[in-house]
Amino acid sequence: MPNPEKTETVRDKGQEARPLDAFDRKILGELAVDAGLSYAELGNRAGLSAPAVHERVKRLRATGRIRGTVAVLDGPATGKPFLAFVHVDSTGWGKTQELLALSELPEVEEIHSVAGDTCMLLKVRCASSRALEGLLARLYALPSVKATRSYVVLSTFLERTPQAGITEALEGE
Amino acid sequence: MPNPEKTETVRDKGQEARPLDAFDRKILGELAVDAGLSYAELGNRAGLSAPAVHERVKRLRATGRIRGTVAVLDGPATGKPFLAFVHVDSTGWGKTQELLALSELPEVEEIHSVAGDTCMLLKVRCASSRALEGLLARLYALPSVKATRSYVVLSTFLERTPQAGITEALEGE
DNA sequence: AATTGCTCCGAATGACATTCCTTTCTTCAA
DNA sequence: TTGAAGAAAGGAATGTCATTCGGAGCAATT
Protein backbone atom coordinates (compact mmCIF):
# COMPACT_ATOMS: atom_id res chain seq x y z
CA MET A 1 0.00 0.00 0.00
CA PRO A 2 1.72 3.13 -1.21
CA ASN A 3 1.90 5.97 1.24
CA PRO A 4 0.80 9.26 -0.38
CA GLU A 5 2.88 11.18 2.14
CA LYS A 6 6.06 9.28 1.51
CA THR A 7 9.23 11.29 1.55
CA GLU A 8 9.87 13.02 -1.76
CA THR A 9 13.38 14.02 -2.62
CA VAL A 10 12.18 16.58 -5.15
CA ARG A 11 9.17 18.84 -5.21
CA ASP A 12 6.23 17.90 -7.41
CA LYS A 13 6.04 21.15 -9.34
CA GLY A 14 8.50 22.53 -11.85
CA GLN A 15 9.47 19.80 -14.25
CA GLU A 16 10.48 17.28 -11.64
CA ALA A 17 8.64 14.14 -10.60
CA ARG A 18 7.64 12.54 -13.90
CA PRO A 19 9.35 14.01 -16.96
CA LEU A 20 6.32 14.03 -19.28
CA ASP A 21 6.79 11.32 -21.89
CA ALA A 22 5.58 11.56 -25.48
CA PHE A 23 2.13 10.23 -24.59
CA ASP A 24 1.63 12.88 -21.94
CA ARG A 25 2.71 15.67 -24.21
CA LYS A 26 0.45 14.46 -27.00
CA ILE A 27 -2.50 14.32 -24.62
CA LEU A 28 -1.73 17.77 -23.24
CA GLY A 29 -1.43 19.15 -26.73
CA GLU A 30 -4.82 17.86 -27.76
CA LEU A 31 -6.58 18.93 -24.56
CA ALA A 32 -5.11 22.42 -24.73
CA VAL A 33 -6.92 22.85 -28.05
CA ASP A 34 -10.11 20.94 -27.31
CA ALA A 35 -10.94 19.60 -23.89
CA GLY A 36 -14.24 18.23 -25.16
CA LEU A 37 -12.63 15.19 -26.76
CA SER A 38 -13.74 11.82 -25.48
CA TYR A 39 -11.16 9.59 -23.86
CA ALA A 40 -11.71 7.08 -26.63
CA GLU A 41 -10.88 9.67 -29.29
CA LEU A 42 -7.92 10.88 -27.27
CA GLY A 43 -6.77 7.30 -27.03
CA ASN A 44 -6.94 6.92 -30.80
CA ARG A 45 -4.82 10.01 -31.38
CA ALA A 46 -2.29 9.11 -28.74
CA GLY A 47 -2.17 5.37 -29.37
CA LEU A 48 -3.55 4.31 -26.02
CA SER A 49 -6.75 2.83 -24.64
CA ALA A 50 -9.39 5.00 -23.03
CA PRO A 51 -8.66 3.86 -19.46
CA ALA A 52 -4.95 4.46 -19.95
CA VAL A 53 -5.63 7.99 -21.18
CA HIS A 54 -7.98 8.55 -18.31
CA GLU A 55 -5.33 7.48 -15.85
CA ARG A 56 -2.79 9.84 -17.36
CA VAL A 57 -5.14 12.79 -17.49
CA LYS A 58 -6.00 12.21 -13.86
CA ARG A 59 -2.30 12.26 -13.03
CA LEU A 60 -1.68 15.33 -15.14
CA ARG A 61 -4.40 17.10 -13.21
CA ALA A 62 -3.18 15.87 -9.84
CA THR A 63 0.39 16.97 -10.51
CA GLY A 64 -0.66 20.41 -11.63
CA ARG A 65 0.26 20.10 -15.29
CA ILE A 66 -3.39 20.74 -16.10
CA ARG A 67 -4.63 23.64 -14.03
CA GLY A 68 -8.27 23.26 -15.02
CA THR A 69 -10.79 23.07 -17.81
CA VAL A 70 -12.54 26.24 -18.91
CA ALA A 71 -14.85 27.57 -21.59
CA VAL A 72 -13.11 30.24 -23.64
CA LEU A 73 -15.43 33.20 -24.02
CA ASP A 74 -15.34 35.59 -26.94
CA GLY A 75 -14.69 39.10 -25.66
CA PRO A 76 -16.64 41.10 -28.24
CA ALA A 77 -19.49 38.58 -28.37
CA THR A 78 -19.94 38.75 -24.62
CA GLY A 79 -20.01 42.50 -24.41
CA LYS A 80 -16.35 43.35 -23.84
CA PRO A 81 -14.80 44.42 -27.15
CA PHE A 82 -12.07 46.63 -25.66
CA LEU A 83 -8.76 45.01 -24.90
CA ALA A 84 -5.71 46.79 -23.54
CA PHE A 85 -2.36 46.13 -21.94
CA VAL A 86 -1.52 48.57 -19.18
CA HIS A 87 2.02 49.11 -17.95
CA VAL A 88 2.12 50.44 -14.41
CA ASP A 89 5.01 52.25 -12.76
CA SER A 90 4.66 52.17 -9.01
CA THR A 91 6.76 53.48 -6.14
CA GLY A 92 8.12 50.92 -3.71
CA TRP A 93 8.25 47.20 -4.09
CA GLY A 94 5.87 45.91 -1.46
CA LYS A 95 2.96 47.81 -2.90
CA THR A 96 1.95 45.08 -5.29
CA GLN A 97 -0.72 44.04 -2.82
CA GLU A 98 -2.79 47.04 -3.82
CA LEU A 99 -2.77 45.99 -7.43
CA LEU A 100 -3.75 42.44 -6.56
CA ALA A 101 -7.06 43.77 -5.30
CA LEU A 102 -7.89 44.45 -8.93
CA SER A 103 -8.28 40.69 -9.36
CA GLU A 104 -11.79 41.25 -8.09
CA LEU A 105 -12.71 42.95 -11.32
CA PRO A 106 -13.70 40.52 -14.09
CA GLU A 107 -12.25 43.04 -16.53
CA VAL A 108 -8.73 42.34 -15.28
CA GLU A 109 -7.45 39.14 -16.83
CA GLU A 110 -3.77 39.18 -16.07
CA ILE A 111 -1.44 40.76 -13.53
CA HIS A 112 2.29 40.24 -13.91
CA SER A 113 5.34 41.81 -12.41
CA VAL A 114 7.87 42.35 -15.16
CA ALA A 115 11.49 43.30 -15.63
CA GLY A 116 12.20 46.19 -17.93
CA ASP A 117 11.42 49.86 -17.57
CA THR A 118 8.10 49.22 -15.85
CA CYS A 119 6.90 47.36 -12.78
CA MET A 120 3.55 45.79 -13.39
CA LEU A 121 1.71 44.71 -16.49
CA LEU A 122 -2.05 44.29 -16.67
CA LYS A 123 -4.21 42.74 -19.33
CA VAL A 124 -7.63 44.32 -19.28
CA ARG A 125 -10.78 43.61 -21.25
CA CYS A 126 -13.82 45.81 -20.82
CA ALA A 127 -17.05 47.00 -22.34
CA SER A 128 -16.04 50.42 -23.61
CA SER A 129 -13.31 53.00 -23.72
CA ARG A 130 -15.29 54.70 -20.98
CA ALA A 131 -14.84 51.63 -18.78
CA LEU A 132 -11.17 51.52 -19.61
CA GLU A 133 -10.92 55.11 -18.47
CA GLY A 134 -12.73 54.20 -15.27
CA LEU A 135 -10.26 51.43 -14.63
CA LEU A 136 -7.32 53.75 -15.16
CA ALA A 137 -8.94 56.12 -12.69
CA ARG A 138 -8.98 53.33 -10.13
CA LEU A 139 -5.34 52.66 -10.83
CA TYR A 140 -4.32 56.27 -10.28
CA ALA A 141 -6.38 56.31 -7.09
CA LEU A 142 -3.83 53.92 -5.61
CA PRO A 143 -1.15 55.90 -3.76
CA SER A 144 1.70 53.75 -5.05
CA VAL A 145 0.83 54.17 -8.72
CA LYS A 146 3.13 56.70 -10.30
CA ALA A 147 2.39 56.42 -14.00
CA THR A 148 0.74 54.14 -16.53
CA ARG A 149 1.12 53.50 -20.24
CA SER A 150 -1.76 51.85 -22.04
CA TYR A 151 -1.54 49.88 -25.25
CA VAL A 152 -4.98 49.52 -26.74
CA VAL A 153 -5.42 46.48 -28.96
CA LEU A 154 -6.67 47.25 -32.45
CA SER A 155 -6.76 43.69 -33.77
CA THR A 156 -6.10 40.33 -32.23
CA PHE A 157 -4.55 37.82 -34.61
CA LEU A 158 -3.81 35.06 -32.14
CA GLU A 159 -4.91 34.44 -28.60
CA ARG A 160 -4.67 31.10 -26.86
CA THR A 161 -3.78 29.42 -23.62
CA PRO A 162 -0.38 27.78 -22.99
CA GLN A 163 0.39 25.09 -25.53
CA ALA A 164 2.12 21.81 -24.86
CA GLY A 165 4.62 21.94 -27.71
CA ILE A 166 8.22 23.04 -27.35
CA THR A 167 10.27 24.18 -30.35
CA GLU A 168 13.65 22.61 -29.89
CA ALA A 169 15.18 24.71 -32.64
CA LEU A 170 14.79 27.85 -30.58
CA GLU A 171 17.31 26.59 -28.08
CA GLY A 172 20.10 26.23 -30.57
CA GLU A 173 20.22 29.42 -32.62
CA MET B 1 -41.11 25.62 -39.90
CA PRO B 2 -38.45 28.21 -39.23
CA ASN B 3 -36.01 28.89 -42.00
CA PRO B 4 -32.43 28.88 -40.73
CA GLU B 5 -31.43 31.14 -43.59
CA LYS B 6 -34.08 33.72 -42.95
CA THR B 7 -33.08 37.32 -43.51
CA GLU B 8 -31.31 38.80 -40.51
CA THR B 9 -31.38 42.52 -40.03
CA VAL B 10 -28.33 42.44 -37.80
CA ARG B 11 -25.26 40.28 -37.82
CA ASP B 12 -24.97 37.49 -35.30
CA LYS B 13 -21.68 38.56 -33.78
CA GLY B 14 -20.94 41.59 -31.70
CA GLN B 15 -23.60 41.98 -29.05
CA GLU B 16 -26.53 41.85 -31.42
CA ALA B 17 -28.98 38.99 -31.89
CA ARG B 18 -29.85 37.95 -28.34
CA PRO B 19 -28.75 40.35 -25.62
CA LEU B 20 -27.51 37.75 -23.11
CA ASP B 21 -29.96 37.63 -20.22
CA ALA B 22 -29.04 36.97 -16.60
CA PHE B 23 -29.22 33.19 -17.08
CA ASP B 24 -26.81 33.27 -19.99
CA ARG B 25 -24.33 35.45 -18.16
CA LYS B 26 -24.50 33.26 -15.07
CA ILE B 27 -23.86 30.17 -17.17
CA LEU B 28 -21.00 31.83 -19.02
CA GLY B 29 -19.49 32.97 -15.74
CA GLU B 30 -19.49 29.47 -14.32
CA LEU B 31 -18.19 27.80 -17.46
CA ALA B 32 -15.37 30.32 -17.83
CA VAL B 33 -14.09 29.14 -14.44
CA ASP B 34 -14.89 25.44 -14.69
CA ALA B 35 -16.17 23.83 -17.85
CA GLY B 36 -16.26 20.44 -16.19
CA LEU B 37 -19.49 21.16 -14.37
CA SER B 38 -22.42 18.87 -15.17
CA TYR B 39 -25.50 20.41 -16.70
CA ALA B 40 -27.42 19.38 -13.61
CA GLU B 41 -25.03 21.27 -11.33
CA LEU B 42 -25.00 24.19 -13.71
CA GLY B 43 -28.78 24.15 -13.63
CA ASN B 44 -28.77 24.29 -9.84
CA ARG B 45 -26.53 27.34 -9.78
CA ALA B 46 -28.44 29.14 -12.49
CA GLY B 47 -31.92 28.11 -11.40
CA LEU B 48 -32.76 26.08 -14.48
CA SER B 49 -33.21 22.44 -15.44
CA ALA B 50 -30.47 20.47 -17.11
CA PRO B 51 -32.10 20.42 -20.56
CA ALA B 52 -32.72 24.17 -20.41
CA VAL B 53 -29.09 24.79 -19.58
CA HIS B 54 -28.03 22.45 -22.32
CA GLU B 55 -30.16 24.34 -24.81
CA ARG B 56 -28.63 27.65 -23.80
CA VAL B 57 -25.07 26.39 -23.85
CA LYS B 58 -25.65 25.00 -27.31
CA ARG B 59 -26.88 28.39 -28.42
CA LEU B 60 -24.00 30.19 -26.73
CA ARG B 61 -21.63 27.98 -28.65
CA ALA B 62 -23.47 28.36 -31.94
CA THR B 63 -23.57 32.15 -31.69
CA GLY B 64 -19.87 32.36 -30.90
CA ARG B 65 -20.14 33.54 -27.32
CA ILE B 66 -18.27 30.41 -26.31
CA ARG B 67 -15.31 29.91 -28.59
CA GLY B 68 -14.37 26.50 -27.28
CA THR B 69 -13.46 24.40 -24.28
CA VAL B 70 -9.81 23.91 -23.42
CA ALA B 71 -7.58 22.48 -20.74
CA VAL B 72 -5.47 25.22 -19.16
CA LEU B 73 -1.88 24.03 -18.93
CA ASP B 74 0.57 25.23 -16.33
CA GLY B 75 3.55 26.83 -18.05
CA PRO B 76 6.30 25.95 -15.56
CA ALA B 77 4.87 22.48 -14.90
CA THR B 78 4.88 21.66 -18.60
CA GLY B 79 8.41 22.80 -19.23
CA LYS B 80 7.94 26.42 -20.21
CA PRO B 81 8.70 28.60 -17.20
CA PHE B 82 9.74 31.71 -19.16
CA LEU B 83 7.05 34.22 -20.03
CA ALA B 84 7.59 37.50 -21.84
CA PHE B 85 5.73 40.23 -23.63
CA VAL B 86 7.49 41.49 -26.72
CA HIS B 87 6.73 44.84 -28.32
CA VAL B 88 7.64 44.94 -31.97
CA ASP B 89 8.25 48.05 -34.06
CA SER B 90 7.99 47.25 -37.74
CA THR B 91 8.28 49.27 -40.91
CA GLY B 92 5.26 49.44 -43.14
CA TRP B 93 1.73 48.41 -42.34
CA GLY B 94 1.11 45.44 -44.60
CA LYS B 95 3.96 43.49 -43.13
CA THR B 96 1.94 41.97 -40.35
CA GLN B 97 1.64 38.84 -42.43
CA GLU B 98 5.21 37.97 -41.63
CA LEU B 99 4.53 38.10 -37.94
CA LEU B 100 1.45 35.92 -38.28
CA ALA B 101 3.68 33.09 -39.41
CA LEU B 102 4.90 32.96 -35.83
CA SER B 103 1.55 31.44 -34.92
CA GLU B 104 3.13 28.17 -35.94
CA LEU B 105 5.31 28.23 -32.87
CA PRO B 106 3.58 26.84 -29.78
CA GLU B 107 5.66 29.31 -27.77
CA VAL B 108 3.73 32.25 -29.23
CA GLU B 109 0.43 32.59 -27.41
CA GLU B 110 -0.83 35.98 -28.49
CA ILE B 111 -0.33 38.38 -31.39
CA HIS B 112 -2.04 41.76 -31.27
CA SER B 113 -1.69 44.95 -33.20
CA VAL B 114 -1.79 47.83 -30.77
CA ALA B 115 -2.08 51.58 -30.70
CA GLY B 116 0.59 53.44 -28.84
CA ASP B 117 4.26 53.83 -29.55
CA THR B 118 4.62 50.33 -30.93
CA CYS B 119 3.04 48.23 -33.64
CA MET B 120 2.71 44.65 -32.54
CA LEU B 121 2.57 42.95 -29.21
CA LEU B 122 3.44 39.31 -28.65
CA LYS B 123 2.95 37.10 -25.65
CA VAL B 124 5.56 34.38 -25.60
CA ARG B 125 6.10 31.43 -23.29
CA CYS B 126 9.16 29.25 -23.71
CA ALA B 127 11.46 26.78 -22.07
CA SER B 128 14.45 28.97 -21.31
CA SER B 129 15.98 32.38 -21.73
CA ARG B 130 18.00 30.75 -24.49
CA ALA B 131 14.80 29.92 -26.34
CA LEU B 132 13.53 33.44 -25.81
CA GLU B 133 16.74 34.69 -27.37
CA GLY B 134 16.21 32.32 -30.28
CA LEU B 135 12.74 33.67 -30.81
CA LEU B 136 13.97 37.25 -30.81
CA ALA B 137 16.54 36.21 -33.39
CA ARG B 138 13.73 34.97 -35.60
CA LEU B 139 11.94 38.25 -35.13
CA TYR B 140 14.95 40.30 -36.19
CA ALA B 141 15.41 38.01 -39.17
CA LEU B 142 12.18 39.44 -40.58
CA PRO B 143 12.99 42.37 -42.86
CA SER B 144 10.14 44.50 -41.58
CA VAL B 145 11.11 44.27 -37.93
CA LYS B 146 12.85 47.42 -36.85
CA ALA B 147 13.13 47.07 -33.10
CA THR B 148 11.74 45.08 -30.19
CA ARG B 149 11.34 45.67 -26.50
CA SER B 150 10.89 42.66 -24.25
CA TYR B 151 9.26 42.60 -20.87
CA VAL B 152 10.20 39.43 -19.06
CA VAL B 153 7.67 38.31 -16.48
CA LEU B 154 9.10 37.80 -13.01
CA SER B 155 5.91 36.72 -11.27
CA THR B 156 2.39 36.08 -12.45
CA PHE B 157 -0.28 37.00 -9.92
CA LEU B 158 -3.32 36.52 -12.10
CA GLU B 159 -3.83 34.85 -15.43
CA ARG B 160 -7.19 33.79 -16.77
CA THR B 161 -9.34 33.69 -19.88
CA PRO B 162 -12.07 36.30 -20.56
CA GLN B 163 -14.63 36.45 -17.78
CA ALA B 164 -18.36 36.94 -18.19
CA GLY B 165 -18.82 39.65 -15.59
CA ILE B 166 -19.01 43.36 -16.38
CA THR B 167 -18.37 45.99 -13.73
CA GLU B 168 -21.03 48.62 -14.29
CA ALA B 169 -19.34 51.05 -11.93
CA LEU B 170 -16.42 51.44 -14.32
CA GLU B 171 -18.66 53.12 -16.86
CA GLY B 172 -19.74 55.92 -14.59
CA GLU B 173 -16.61 57.28 -12.93
C1' DA C 1 15.72 -15.62 -10.25
C1' DA C 2 11.90 -13.93 -7.60
C1' DT C 3 9.27 -10.13 -6.12
C1' DT C 4 7.41 -5.61 -6.06
C1' DG C 5 5.36 -1.83 -8.29
C1' DC C 6 3.66 0.34 -12.34
C1' DT C 7 0.96 0.81 -16.47
C1' DC C 8 -1.53 -1.08 -19.83
C1' DC C 9 -5.96 -3.28 -21.83
C1' DG C 10 -10.86 -5.44 -21.97
C1' DA C 11 -15.15 -5.72 -19.90
C1' DA C 12 -18.83 -4.11 -16.76
C1' DT C 13 -21.12 -0.54 -14.34
C1' DG C 14 -22.90 3.80 -13.48
C1' DA C 15 -23.43 8.65 -14.42
C1' DC C 16 -24.52 12.05 -17.45
C1' DA C 17 -25.38 14.20 -21.92
C1' DT C 18 -28.89 14.42 -25.24
C1' DT C 19 -33.39 13.97 -27.21
C1' DC C 20 -38.42 13.92 -27.28
C1' DC C 21 -42.67 15.54 -25.84
C1' DT C 22 -45.76 18.18 -23.21
C1' DT C 23 -46.75 22.43 -20.86
C1' DT C 24 -46.39 27.28 -20.02
C1' DC C 25 -45.44 31.92 -20.99
C1' DT C 26 -44.94 35.58 -24.00
C1' DT C 27 -45.95 38.10 -28.18
C1' DC C 28 -48.29 39.61 -32.06
C1' DA C 29 -52.58 40.10 -34.63
C1' DA C 30 -57.29 40.41 -35.13
C1' DT D 1 -59.83 41.60 -24.99
C1' DT D 2 -59.22 37.37 -27.16
C1' DG D 3 -57.00 34.03 -30.10
C1' DA D 4 -53.12 32.02 -32.20
C1' DA D 5 -48.15 31.17 -32.79
C1' DG D 6 -43.44 31.11 -31.33
C1' DA D 7 -40.09 30.33 -27.90
C1' DA D 8 -38.47 28.19 -23.94
C1' DA D 9 -38.66 25.27 -19.75
C1' DG D 10 -39.41 20.85 -17.24
C1' DG D 11 -39.94 15.68 -16.88
C1' DA D 12 -38.89 11.29 -18.62
C1' DA D 13 -36.45 8.07 -21.65
C1' DT D 14 -32.46 6.73 -24.26
C1' DG D 15 -27.82 6.44 -25.77
C1' DT D 16 -23.09 7.54 -25.06
C1' DC D 17 -19.28 8.00 -22.47
C1' DA D 18 -16.71 8.40 -18.14
C1' DT D 19 -15.18 5.55 -14.55
C1' DT D 20 -14.01 1.42 -12.16
C1' DC D 21 -12.45 -3.32 -11.62
C1' DG D 22 -9.65 -7.18 -12.41
C1' DG D 23 -5.99 -9.36 -14.82
C1' DA D 24 -1.66 -9.40 -17.60
C1' DG D 25 2.80 -7.71 -19.21
C1' DC D 26 7.08 -5.25 -18.13
C1' DA D 27 10.81 -3.03 -15.55
C1' DA D 28 13.45 -2.31 -11.72
C1' DT D 29 15.04 -3.91 -7.26
C1' DT D 30 16.78 -7.31 -3.92
Side-chain angles (χ1 to χ4, degrees), chain B residues 84-131:
Chain B
F85 291 87
V86 181
H87 292 209
V88 179
D89 292 347
S90 59
T91 67
W93 270 104
K95 297 296 187 178
T96 66
Q97 209 65 25
E98 294 180 347
L99 282 172
L100 290 194
L102 293 176
S103 300
E104 301 292 333
L105 300 177
E107 282 81 4
V108 178
E109 291 178 9
E110 301 186 20
I111 303 179
H112 310 276
S113 87
V114 299
D117 57 16
T118 188
C119 293
M120 286 282 176
L121 200 156
L122 306 183
K123 182 181 182 182
V124 171
R125 191 187 309 268
C126 52
S128 64
S129 56
R130 190 110 184 77

Side-chain angles (χ1 to χ4, degrees), chain A residues 85-130:
Chain A
F85 291 87
V86 181
H87 291 209
V88 179
D89 291 348
S90 60
T91 66
W93 271 103
K95 298 296 188 177
T96 67
Q97 207 66 24
E98 294 180 350
L99 281 172
L100 290 194
L102 293 176
S103 301
E104 300 291 332
L105 299 178
E107 282 80 4
V108 178
E109 290 178 8
E110 301 186 20
I111 304 179
H112 309 276
S113 88
V114 299
D117 57 16
T118 188
C119 293
M120 286 283 175
L121 200 157
L122 307 183
K123 182 181 181 181
V124 171
R125 191 187 309 268
C126 51
S128 65
S129 57
R130 189 112 184 75

Side-chain angles (χ1 to χ4, degrees), chain B:
Chain B
M1 172 184 176
N3 182 355
E5 298 200 357
K6 63 175 181 288
T7 306
E8 292 283 357
T9 58
V10 294
R11 72 181 137 288
D12 296 279
K13 288 284 188 169
Q15 36 239 73
E16 315 295 350
R18 222 167 294 256
L20 279 191
D21 64 10
F23 286 137
D24 288 326
R25 205 163 281 280
K26 174 66 174 174
I27 292 171
L28 287 176
E30 297 289 342
L31 288 183
V33 173
D34 183 4
L37 291 174
S38 73
Y39 286 126
E41 176 60 26
L42 211 44
N44 282 338
R45 302 191 187 183
L48 287 174
S49 70
V53 171
H54 180 257
E55 184 69 24
R56 282 173 178 267
V57 170
K58 208 164 51 179
R59 199 167 54 217
L60 290 169
R61 292 184 142 276
T63 56
R65 267 68 178 260
I66 297 178
R67 294 215 313 222
T69 303
V70 305
V72 180
L73 307 188
D74 186 278
T78 53
K80 297 197 279 192
F82 280 83
L83 180 62
F85 291 87
V86 181
H87 292 209
V88 179
D89 292 347
S90 59
T91 67
W93 270 104
K95 297 296 187 178
T96 66
Q97 209 65 25
E98 294 180 347
L99 282 172
L100 290 194
L102 293 176
S103 300
E104 301 292 333
L105 300 177
E107 282 81 4
V108 178
E109 291 178 9
E110 301 186 20
I111 303 179
H112 310 276
S113 87
V114 299
D117 57 16
T118 188
C119 293
M120 286 282 176
L121 200 156
L122 306 183
K123 182 181 182 182
V124 171
R125 191 187 309 268
C126 52
S128 64
S129 56
R130 190 110 184 77
L132 181 57
E133 190 179 6
L135 198 137
L136 289 176
R138 288 215 184 182
L139 271 179
Y140 277 109
L142 300 177
S144 61
V145 170
K146 182 166 45 175
T148 69
R149 274 179 306 285
S150 297
Y151 298 90
V152 176
V153 172
L154 303 174
S155 299
T156 293
F157 299 102
L158 178 71
E159 185 170 32
R160 58 188 177 190
T161 54
Q163 301 293 297
I166 292 181
T167 307
E168 303 291 347
L170 288 180
E171 300 268 353
E173 291 192 8

Side-chain angles (χ1 to χ4, degrees), chain A:
Chain A
M1 170 185 179
N3 181 358
E5 297 200 358
K6 63 174 181 289
T7 305
E8 290 284 357
T9 57
V10 294
R11 70 181 139 288
D12 295 279
K13 290 283 188 170
Q15 36 241 73
E16 313 294 350
R18 223 167 294 255
L20 280 189
D21 63 12
F23 287 137
D24 288 326
R25 204 163 282 280
K26 175 66 174 173
I27 291 171
L28 287 176
E30 297 289 343
L31 288 183
V33 173
D34 183 4
L37 292 174
S38 72
Y39 286 126
E41 175 61 26
L42 259 183
N44 282 339
R45 301 192 187 183
L48 286 174
S49 70
V53 171
H54 181 260
E55 184 69 24
R56 281 172 179 267
V57 171
K58 209 162 52 178
R59 199 167 53 215
L60 290 169
R61 293 185 141 276
T63 55
R65 267 66 179 259
I66 297 178
R67 294 215 312 221
T69 303
V70 305
V72 180
L73 307 188
D74 185 278
T78 54
K80 296 198 278 189
F82 281 84
L83 179 62
F85 291 87
V86 181
H87 291 209
V88 179
D89 291 348
S90 60
T91 66
W93 271 103
K95 298 296 188 177
T96 67
Q97 207 66 24
E98 294 180 350
L99 281 172
L100 290 194
L102 293 176
S103 301
E104 300 291 332
L105 299 178
E107 282 80 4
V108 178
E109 290 178 8
E110 301 186 20
I111 304 179
H112 309 276
S113 88
V114 299
D117 57 16
T118 188
C119 293
M120 286 283 175
L121 200 157
L122 307 183
K123 182 181 181 181
V124 171
R125 191 187 309 268
C126 51
S128 65
S129 57
R130 189 112 184 75
L132 181 57
E133 189 179 4
L135 199 137
L136 289 176
R138 286 215 185 182
L139 271 179
Y140 277 108
L142 299 178
S144 62
V145 170
K146 182 166 44 175
T148 69
R149 273 180 307 284
S150 297
Y151 297 91
V152 176
V153 171
L154 302 175
S155 300
T156 293
F157 299 102
L158 178 70
E159 185 171 33
R160 58 188 177 189
T161 54
Q163 302 293 297
I166 293 182
T167 307
E168 303 291 347
L170 289 180
E171 301 267 354
E173 290 192 10

